[in-house]
Amino acid sequence: MSFNVEEYLSKLPDNVKKIDLDYKNITCVPDLLRFKNLQQLYISNNKLTKLPTLPNSLVELICYNNKLTMLPSLPNSLTVLICYNNQLTMLPI
């Protein structure tokens, strides 16, 4: 049975602070901007090649062991970024 990320996210309240999508075998992450209080996003060990625009409230982005080639603009609030073992060619400014 495959994990349906859209269905999972649709069931979360808008004010959630943490989303954990580690080890879900997903290839994309839908828009997260409705989560205005999101502080922690865990999306490691998947098959992601890109990420959506990140909420301005995000403090931690943990996205290692994917196939990311680039990252979106990072929010000023971000203090933890762990994204090793990807295919990044550059980091956002």
Side-chain angles (χ1 to χ4, degrees):
M1 187 163 150
S2 67
F3 179 79
N4 185 324
V5 67
E6 289 90 357
E7 184 178 317
Y8 172 77
L9 292 175
S10 72
K11 293 179 181 178
L12 293 177
D14 288 351
N15 65 349
V16 69
K17 291 187 177 184
K18 176 182 174 183
I19 295 177
D20 186 345
L21 296 171
D22 285 351
Y23 292 98
K24 301 295 186 206
N25 203 32
I26 56 176
T27 56
C28 73
V29 176
D31 180 46
L32 299 171
L33 292 179
R34 77 176 177 94
F35 301 110
K36 304 267 186 237
N37 296 323
L38 186 63
Q39 295 181 355
Q40 300 169 305
L41 179 58
Y42 300 106
I43 50 174
S44 297
N45 296 290
N46 286 296
K47 297 176 181 177
L48 300 171
T49 57
K50 66 180 183 175
L51 298 178
T53 300
L54 301 169
N56 287 329
S57 57
L58 200 64
V59 175
E60 289 184 36
L61 173 59
I62 314 298
C63 57
Y64 59 85
N65 291 338
N66 277 291
K67 297 179 179 189
L68 297 170
T69 56
M70 61 183 291
L71 295 175
S73 292
L74 300 175
N76 289 334
S77 58
L78 197 72
T79 58
V80 178
L81 173 63
I82 302 175
C83 60
Y84 63 84
N85 199 22
N86 275 288
Q87 298 170 4
L88 296 171
T89 57
M90 62 185 291
L91 293 174
I93 296 174

